[in-house]
């Protein structure tokens, strides 16, 4: 029989010739193993979007929220979390840690070759100099990584390191080990280190990119809203090479009407026509982890690269992120205190129809500040806030929030007084502060910092714009007062053909304290500052230092102040000020210790500023130097424990250039009503003054003496007054009665003595 070779491998067939399937005789391994969740990509494994798990995981490892989760788990359940009281702010506790602060700006610090910023400020020679002068704290400024991430690449900061994206130290400033070493050196000198956190926003780093691709609870970090695709026509196109674009006021109105966003805010900070006309920006289309393409609109109070955090999202992601960053600085790095940057903008709520959203002075903002400050106190630190709002907002935020507040109340006032030779506005701001219940002991009275001379007129032009004030023998509204002061500051600092200061958007004027002093003296070109003009600038600068040092609270000064730095030519920073951020002219590189005289730029690339006073070692060898005069101011302040005193009066004056502050040296004890009195007397004019000091707080028939030379200068008469004489831009620290001065000018004669 022949067999068909093709039949032997055919499955059996039934009658209608259909093949039958073989029955399975074993189980495949899959039955026991199941299916894994591994996904293989057919596309580019290096693509940077939500469809690439490798990219998503890389972002997650870079994120601040991820670090915060690790830090939080490590501290949960520890008894150390319950050893400190935390409910109420305590400014005098903070002052006991250090009442004179040196504030730095890392990008401007010139170091030795191949030395990091953190290593430079940990140098014991620097701390020896600080110890001589009386400085007890260094505020480092922001040193953590800032900027953004585009694809797999990190991008630089868009706002001077205030767009933080990581808990890691930026390698251009050093590393974590060097920060820890700095904290150890400070402790050896009885000092402390103060770091920064940014509770209002981040940069566009890993956290923002994860939010864009809708990864887990990351969108809850930010005030960002997914816009339905049918409304994308309202959004502007993102320019080539960009990742977002500011929306127009017209688009803002439409998106508000559609219920997507809360609309315009009370003001647009960093307003720039065609650049930032609203506080909202739209992202490009972004592929999410779920395969969906989205466009978001996100809030940014400041620059486009600084997305605003959402403190009232159900995930509480922003709260966790900021808390983790704070605990990292206090625990891992060893800082003792933290600055809360721009902490007045932590909430936004839709306003009544047709009205701007409520974005300043919001109760949620106060609550968020209380949460942050309480956590810092709970682990043994303290905090201070940078809150440029109304006086009431500063007071209310400090009731349970930060321990100290930056003196945004009187800072423009003392600069205005120097520029005009008239202290009336300064006296008004000081009295307004006292009437609101803010004692200067709770404030940080500072010279220059990284920011511009901010007008800081929000109090007068917002809540109190319709209130009436007596000013220059006239009755004007708060809005008129603000307009007057702004106009006079602009005229004095950038008018009159002055070429060395620049207006900074709508917020203020870019300048240094030395160039403020120069403008007050009528200098229109920096080349004019030499010889006697330099001496006059230093004298005016020292007057500003005395104003800040000779009142209760913290006295803060920067490297720019210590060296008398001038602004740099605008052409030298043309690439940095092109977007309208003119503050870079005031952030010139400075070599505080004279360690690198040949350097033309700081390691971060900022051009070296011209300085008037010489390096710190050079100044300490010269008795008449700015640094040694500063040492005298601080020594007197500390000797009489003025930082802890109570301010009693800001009296009227006999000459418009005079300022008089009356303090009780009571260490904050309200029952010590018989404590010695101290009087700070300042002449804000470049001319001599002979006048009269009068205050109802001055007890009659007490002698008045100078704390500098211990000489008696007069006695308080029955009208609570005494005469005074001051030279141009002179400051006097006077004492009334007390241990160093007899309490009675006329002795009491007993009957026996009379016989």
């Amino acid at each position: 029989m022949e067999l068909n070779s093709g039949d032997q491998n055919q499955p059996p067939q039934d009658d209608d010739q259909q093949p039958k399937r073989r029955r399975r005789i074993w189980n495949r391994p899959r039955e026991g193993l199941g299916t894994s969740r591994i996904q293989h990509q057919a596309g580019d494994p290096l693509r940077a979007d939500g469809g690439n798990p490798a990219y998503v995981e890389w972002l997650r490892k870079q994120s601040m929220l991820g670090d915060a989760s690790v830090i939080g788990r490590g501290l949960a359940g520890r008894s150390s979390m319950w050893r400190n009281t935390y409910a109420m702010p305590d400014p005098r506790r903070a002052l006991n840690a250090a009442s004179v602060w040196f504030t730095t700006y890392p990008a401007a610090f010139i170091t030795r070759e191949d030395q990091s910023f953190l290593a430079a400020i940990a140098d014991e020679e620097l701390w020896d100099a600080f110890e001589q002068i009386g400085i007890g704290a260094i505020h480092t400024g922001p040193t953590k990584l800032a900027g953004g991430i585009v694809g797999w690449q990190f991008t630089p900061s868009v706002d001077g390191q205030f767009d933080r994206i990581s808990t890691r130290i930026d390698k251009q400033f050093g590393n974590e080990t060097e920060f820890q070493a700095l904290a150890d050196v400070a402790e050896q000198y009885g000092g402390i280190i103060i770091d920064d956190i940014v509770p209002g926003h981040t940069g566009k780093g890993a956290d923002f990119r994860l939010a864009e691709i809708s990864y887990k609870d990351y969108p809850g970090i930010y005030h960002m809203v997914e816009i339905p695709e049918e409304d994308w026509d309202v959004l502007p196109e993102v320019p080539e090479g960009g990742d977002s674009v500011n929306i127009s006021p017209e688009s803002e109105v439409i998106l508000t009407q559609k219920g997507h966003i809360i609309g315009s805010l009370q003001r647009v900070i960093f307003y720039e026509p065609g650049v930032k006309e609203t506080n909202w920006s739209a992202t490009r289309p972004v592929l999410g982890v779920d395969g969906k393409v989205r466009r978001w609109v996100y809030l940014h109070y400041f620059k486009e690269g600084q997305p605003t955090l959402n403190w009232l999202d159900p995930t509480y992601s922003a709260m966790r992120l900021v808390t983790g960053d704070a605990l990292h600085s206090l625990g891992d790095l060893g800082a003792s205190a933290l600055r809360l940057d721009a902490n007045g903008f932590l909430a936004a709520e839709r306003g009544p129809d047709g009205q701007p959203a409520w974005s300043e002075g919001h109760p949620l903002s106060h609550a968020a500040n209380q949460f942050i400050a309480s956590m810092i106190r709970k682990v043994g630190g303290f905090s201070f806030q940078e809150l440029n709002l109304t006086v009431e907002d500063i007071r209310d935020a400090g009731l349970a929030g930060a321990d100290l507040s930056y003196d945004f109340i009187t800072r423009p006032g003392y600069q205005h007084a120097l520029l005009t030779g008239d202290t009336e506005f300064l006296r008004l701001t000081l009295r307004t502060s006292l009437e609101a219940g803010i004692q200067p002991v709770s404030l940080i009275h500072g010279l220059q910092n990284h920011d511009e001379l901010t007008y800081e007129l929000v109090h007068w032009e917002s809540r109190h714009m319709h209130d009436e004030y007596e000013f220059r023998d006239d009755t004007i509204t708060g809005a008129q007062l603000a307009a007057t002061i702004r106009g006079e500051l602009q005229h004095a600092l950038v008018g009159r053909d002055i070429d060395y200061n620049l207006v900074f958007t709508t917020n203020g004027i870019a300048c240094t304290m030395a160039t403020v002093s120069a403008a007050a003296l009528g200098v229109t070109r920096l080349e004019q500052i030499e010889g006697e003009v330099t001496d006059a600038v230093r004298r005016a600068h020292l007057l500003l230092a005395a104003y800040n040092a000779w009142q209760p609270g913290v006295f803060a000064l920067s490297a720019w102040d210590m060296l008398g730095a001038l602004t740099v030519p605008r052409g030298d920073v043309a690439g940095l000020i092109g977007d309208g951020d003119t503050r870079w002219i005031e952030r010139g590189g400075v070599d505080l210790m004279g360690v690198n005289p040949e350097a033309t730029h700081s390691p971060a690339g900022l051009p070296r500023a011209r300085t008037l006073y010489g390096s710190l070692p050079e100044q300490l060898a010269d008795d008449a130097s700015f640094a040694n005069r500063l040492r005298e101011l601080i020594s007197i302040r500390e000797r009489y424990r003025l930082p802890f005193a109570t301010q009693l009066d800001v009296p009227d004056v006999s000459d418009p250039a005079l300022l008089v502050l009356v303090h009780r040296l009571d260490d904050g004890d309200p029952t010590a009503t018989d404590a010695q009195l101290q009087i700070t007397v300042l002449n804000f004019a470049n001319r001599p003054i002979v006048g009269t000091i009068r205050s109802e707080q001055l007890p009659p028939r007490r002698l008045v003496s100078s704390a500098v030379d211990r000489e008696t200068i007069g006695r308080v008469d029955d009208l609570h007054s005494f005469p005074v004489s001051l030279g141009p831009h002179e400051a006097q620290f006077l004492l009334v009665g007390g241990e160093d001065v007899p309490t009675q000018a006329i002795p009491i004669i007993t009957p026996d003595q009379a016989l």
Side-chain angles (χ1 to χ4, degrees):
M1 181 175 67
E2 288 186 10
L3 296 176
N4 185 334
S5 61
D7 293 338
Q8 58 185 332
N9 294 320
Q10 296 297 318
Q13 298 180 349
D14 54 19
D15 294 341
D16 57 4
Q17 300 298 304
Q18 293 295 323
K20 291 184 177 180
R21 299 186 182 277
R22 294 184 184 274
R23 189 174 63 179
R24 188 174 62 178
I25 60 176
W26 72 80
N27 293 328
R28 289 175 292 170
R30 175 178 175 178
E31 300 295 327
L33 294 177
T35 304
S36 75
R37 296 179 180 272
I38 295 175
Q39 299 180 15
H40 295 282
Q41 299 295 324
D44 182 0
L46 297 181
R47 73 183 194 185
D49 60 32
N52 183 357
Y55 179 65
V56 175
E57 179 62 14
W58 179 76
L59 289 176
R60 190 191 64 78
K61 290 180 178 179
Q62 310 294 329
S63 74
M64 296 178 70
L65 183 59
D67 287 350
S69 297
V70 174
I71 292 168
R73 287 194 297 269
L75 293 174
R78 288 193 179 184
S79 60
S80 59
M81 295 294 293
W82 298 98
R83 293 173 184 167
N84 301 289
T85 58
Y86 59 85
M88 302 304 297
D90 190 349
R92 288 183 172 85
R93 171 178 168 270
L95 287 167
N96 269 319
S99 70
V100 180
W101 298 359
F102 175 76
T103 62
T104 66
Y105 189 67
F109 211 86
I110 294 176
T111 66
R112 292 184 172 89
E113 292 293 336
D114 301 321
Q115 184 185 39
S116 73
F117 161 74
L118 289 172
I121 62 171
D123 190 292
E124 293 196 5
E125 291 183 11
L126 175 63
W127 280 92
D128 284 336
F130 282 175
E131 189 173 48
Q132 291 182 57
I133 296 169
I135 295 170
I138 289 183
H139 175 209
T140 62
T143 59
K144 292 182 180 179
L145 189 64
I149 291 176
V150 174
W152 298 84
Q153 301 297 318
F154 288 91
T155 58
S157 170
V158 299
D159 189 27
Q161 300 299 123
F162 287 97
D163 45 349
R164 181 168 297 174
I165 61 172
S166 176
T167 59
R168 298 200 310 265
I169 298 294
D170 191 324
K171 63 182 180 182
Q172 70 173 316
F173 303 131
N175 56 50
E176 189 167 298
T177 300
E178 288 176 323
F179 198 113
Q180 293 164 342
L182 167 64
D184 292 340
V185 170
E187 186 173 1
Q188 293 170 17
Y189 282 83
I192 62 170
I193 298 301
I194 303 169
D195 196 13
D196 290 71
I197 60 170
V198 188
H201 55 259
T202 68
K204 287 186 175 180
D207 295 276
F208 185 75
R209 297 307 177 198
L210 287 166
E212 276 189 319
I213 62 177
S214 196
Y215 177 72
K216 295 189 176 179
D217 52 2
Y218 280 76
I221 297 175
Y222 301 101
H223 193 141
M224 59 193 303
V225 179
E226 179 185 346
I227 304 300
E229 190 169 358
E230 60 267 24
D231 290 332
W232 284 10
D233 61 327
V234 181
L235 306 179
E237 293 295 322
V238 176
E240 185 69 27
D243 66 353
S244 62
V245 60
N246 193 241
I247 69 172
S248 67
E250 294 75 21
S251 296
E252 181 182 58
V253 170
I254 295 172
L255 292 172
T256 304
Q257 292 173 342
K258 288 178 174 290
H260 296 317
I261 63 175
I262 62 174
S264 63
L265 272 57
Q266 290 170 263
R267 54 179 167 151
V268 180
I269 301 175
F270 288 100
Y271 176 86
E272 187 76 14
V275 178
K276 188 189 178 188
E277 298 181 333
T278 70
N279 291 299
W280 302 92
S281 285
T283 70
R284 70 198 189 291
V286 183
L287 176 64
V289 292
D290 56 358
K292 181 179 178 181
V293 177
R294 295 175 175 85
R295 289 196 73 181
W296 307 83
V297 168
Y298 67 93
L299 177 68
H300 53 97
Y301 280 101
F302 300 101
K303 296 187 178 182
E304 193 171 307
Q306 297 169 291
T308 295
L309 299 177
N310 181 0
W311 275 85
L312 197 60
D313 180 82
T315 66
Y316 294 98
S317 299
M319 182 184 296
R320 290 155 49 206
L321 182 152
V322 172
T323 302
D325 188 28
L327 294 174
H328 174 264
S329 290
L330 297 168
D332 290 39
L333 299 183
S336 296
L338 296 173
R339 169 183 179 267
L340 311 184
D341 175 70
N343 66 311
F345 309 101
L346 306 187
E349 175 182 334
R350 186 166 186 162
D353 289 342
Q355 298 297 313
W358 186 6
S359 55
E360 298 180 9
H362 196 285
L364 174 60
S365 191
H366 294 323
N369 279 293
Q370 179 180 1
F371 183 91
I372 299 166
S374 293
M375 179 60 75
I376 293 170
R377 284 190 289 269
K378 193 173 185 181
V379 297
F382 69 86
S383 62
F384 77 95
Q385 62 184 0
E386 185 197 40
L387 188 64
N388 179 18
L389 293 176
T390 68
V391 173
E392 292 91 348
D393 288 324
I394 294 173
R395 176 199 63 201
D396 295 346
L399 293 177
D403 299 272
L404 298 163
S405 298
Y406 199 80
D407 185 2
F408 278 125
I409 302 171
T410 73
R411 189 164 180 249
Y414 76 73
Q415 293 160 332
H416 179 267
L418 182 71
L419 292 163
T420 63
D422 188 334
T423 65
E424 184 173 3
F425 177 64
L426 175 57
R427 283 180 275 123
L428 175 59
T429 61
L430 286 161
R431 291 167 181 166
T432 300
S433 176
L434 285 177
E435 290 166 2
I438 299 176
Q439 273 288 325
V441 70
S442 66
L443 300 176
I444 299 159
H445 313 285
L447 291 171
Q448 186 182 346
N449 62 11
H450 69 280
D451 270 330
E452 78 288 356
L453 187 170
T454 311
Y455 298 128
E456 295 150 5
L457 300 169
V458 179
H459 179 85
W460 318 101
E461 60 190 0
S462 60
R463 182 182 297 188
H464 299 278
M465 65 183 302
H466 299 300
D467 292 354
E468 293 185 340
Y469 299 91
E470 295 298 318
F471 187 69
R472 294 178 182 168
D473 298 323
D474 197 2
T475 301
I476 62 175
T477 65
Q480 292 172 321
L481 176 64
T484 298
I485 300 304
R486 180 183 289 104
E488 291 179 352
L489 286 171
Q490 289 179 345
H491 174 72
L493 287 169
V494 297
R496 301 177 298 147
D497 200 32
I498 290 175
D499 71 342
Y500 50 82
N501 299 320
L502 291 174
V503 171
F504 171 65
T505 65
T506 58
N507 281 4
I509 296 170
C511 55
T512 70
M513 286 298 172
T515 64
V516 170
S517 301
L521 295 166
V523 173
T524 58
R525 296 290 184 273
L526 295 183
E527 301 80 53
Q528 299 169 356
I529 305 179
E530 57 182 4
E532 293 182 357
V533 178
T534 301
D535 295 338
V537 168
R538 180 171 57 245
R539 186 170 61 245
H541 197 172
L542 280 166
L543 176 79
L544 301 182
Y547 167 79
N548 287 286
W550 285 355
Q551 60 179 306
V554 169
F555 171 42
L557 68 160
S558 68
W560 296 304
D561 289 304
M562 297 291 289
L563 302 185
L566 304 177
T567 52
V568 300
R570 66 188 73 183
D572 291 356
V573 288
L576 293 171
I577 67 175
D579 64 351
D581 193 347
T582 57
R583 292 175 298 175
W584 294 104
I585 69 167
E586 68 184 53
R587 296 171 174 171
V590 284
D591 185 357
L592 187 63
M593 295 298 289
V595 296
N596 198 346
E598 302 303 317
T600 59
H601 291 74
S602 71
L606 294 181
R608 188 180 192 124
R610 177 190 166 196
T611 56
L612 301 179
Y613 308 150
S615 70
L616 207 49
E618 291 170 337
Q619 289 191 62
L620 289 175
D622 177 6
D623 289 340
S625 70
F626 182 86
N628 271 316
R629 294 292 307 280
L630 203 61
R631 174 166 60 177
E632 294 171 4
L633 296 178
I634 293 171
S635 175
I636 292 172
R637 155 192 167 92
E638 298 301 319
R639 184 190 313 156
Y640 292 97
R641 292 185 62 78
L642 181 59
F644 306 90
T646 300
Q647 190 166 94
L648 300 179
D649 193 16
V650 183
D652 290 332
V653 291
S654 58
D655 189 294
L658 273 176
L659 179 72
V660 179
L661 306 174
V662 181
H663 304 116
R664 185 175 63 218
L665 304 177
D666 56 12
D667 270 347
D669 181 358
T671 66
T673 55
D674 59 347
Q676 186 176 25
L677 297 183
Q678 182 273 335
I679 308 172
T680 295
V681 185
L682 306 164
N683 176 10
F684 278 86
N686 191 29
R687 58 178 172 79
I689 287 178
V690 175
T692 301
I693 306 300
R694 185 180 185 280
S695 171
E696 293 296 325
Q697 297 294 331
L698 303 179
R701 304 187 182 187
R702 301 289 177 95
L703 293 182
V704 181
S705 69
S706 167
V708 176
D709 54 24
R710 305 297 179 92
E711 291 187 1
T712 299
I713 67 167
R715 69 168 64 120
V716 180
D717 60 27
D718 287 350
L719 296 177
H720 307 278
S721 64
F722 64 91
V724 69
S725 175
L726 297 96
H729 290 150
E730 184 184 354
Q732 294 185 5
F733 190 109
L734 306 180
L735 300 169
V736 180
E739 295 180 1
D740 296 328
V741 184
T743 57
Q744 289 287 339
I746 302 175
I748 297 175
I749 305 299
T750 65
D752 293 341
Q753 290 173 324
L755 296 174

